[in-house]
Amino acid sequence: MSQSVLDQLLEMGFDKSRAELAVKKSDGLPDAMDWLEKTQDTPLEELLEEEESGTNVAKVEDGTVAMSLVCNECGKKFRSQGEAEFHANKSGHTDFAESTEEIAPLTEEEKKKRLEELRERVKAKKAGQAEVDKEDHKRNEQIRQKATRESHELKEELQRKEQIKEAAKKRQEKLDDIEAKKRIKAKIEADKEERRRKAEEAKAAREGRSVPVAATTPAPAPVAARPAATHNEARLRLQTANGNVMKTLPADTTLFEVAQLLESENGLTVTKFVQNFPRKVFEGNLDLGKTLKEAGLVPSAALIVQ
């Protein structure tokens, strides 16, 4: 019988160690399932320690046959040692005695009904656990998606900063190249002048005359004139969803840097700029890498921020 009950418990998915304890502490499958249900939250180690310590049961007088067990603390009677131990684990009672009073056994109909109730409880418990697992999975998936989204946003932010850095580097390289060309041109002009001077001195020496001193002509008085516009700055009117933002920026500022400025100061995420007249759309790495001067936004312009 015990082996058959153990097999049924294992088929239901119960842990083997707990199922074996349930068989020892119960009288039949219903009692075993009842014991397993009521001790499901008790650690296995604790159950094993209680099994080793046993229950204090007072013996009946010699010559009398014990038909049941009774709890002296609450008066409840039990058919078997397993039921008494289960009651002790549940209530904490420790004072038990053997009794000559016989407890009527459950009928087959009662056993079947009780077994069906226990199976329904196990089924409901598994369904409830499945729902909890489903919610846990859903919550974990939301956390994973949020982490992925934040990681993607961080990656995009790093790429944006890298693009701004790269645009600034290219702009500096362009300025350095212009300065280098100016220096080379000045050096060529200086070399030409030096060669001309030496040729003039050699010619004068051959002809036995002194080297003529270049006559200096007084520089004409400067004519007061209106200074030419250098357009080193750009005045921008940026139309955002929260209203207009006025900015005056250096002409070599890139549109990437303008977008970064709006994001840091106004909390805006910029994907493109639109100019109505003349109609232009600035988006993508190529357009946003342009300076305000290269984009034709100097000395002033109005842009729609999107």
Side-chain angles (χ1 to χ4, degrees), residues 160 164 234 236-238 245 247-266 268 270 273 288 290-292 297 303 305:
R160 184 190 297 268
I164 293 173
L236 301 179
R237 181 164 62 87
L238 303 168
V245 177
K247 294 288 181 185
T248 300
L249 301 170
D252 59 355
T253 303
T254 66
L255 288 170
F256 266 129
E257 292 170 315
V258 177
Q260 189 70 18
L261 190 64
L262 287 172
E263 183 174 349
S264 61
E265 294 184 358
N266 304 88
L268 301 173
V270 182
F273 295 98
L288 296 182
K290 293 180 180 178
T291 65
L292 299 178
L297 304 177
L303 296 176
V305 180

Side-chain angles (χ1 to χ4, degrees), residues 155-171 254-257 259-260 270-271 283-290:
K155 184 178 179 181
E156 287 185 341
E157 178 66 17
L158 291 175
Q159 288 177 343
R160 184 190 297 268
K161 290 181 178 179
E162 189 63 30
Q163 289 168 343
I164 293 173
K165 183 178 177 182
E166 186 66 23
K169 180 181 176 182
K170 289 182 178 179
R171 186 170 66 252
T254 66
L255 288 170
F256 266 129
E257 292 170 315
Q260 189 70 18
V270 182
T271 58
E283 63 178 328
N285 295 341
L286 184 61
D287 287 344
L288 296 182
K290 293 180 180 178

Side-chain angles (χ1 to χ4, degrees), residues 2 42 58 80 82 86 90 97-98 100 108 114-115 143 172 178 208 215 222 227 231 247 269 272 283 285:
S2 295
T42 305
S80 65
F86 174 73
K90 180 181 176 183
E98 291 181 339
T100 57
E108 290 300 322
R114 187 176 178 189
L115 179 59
I143 294 172
Q172 187 60 45
I178 293 173
H231 299 319
K247 294 288 181 185
T269 300
K272 63 181 177 180
E283 63 178 328
N285 295 341

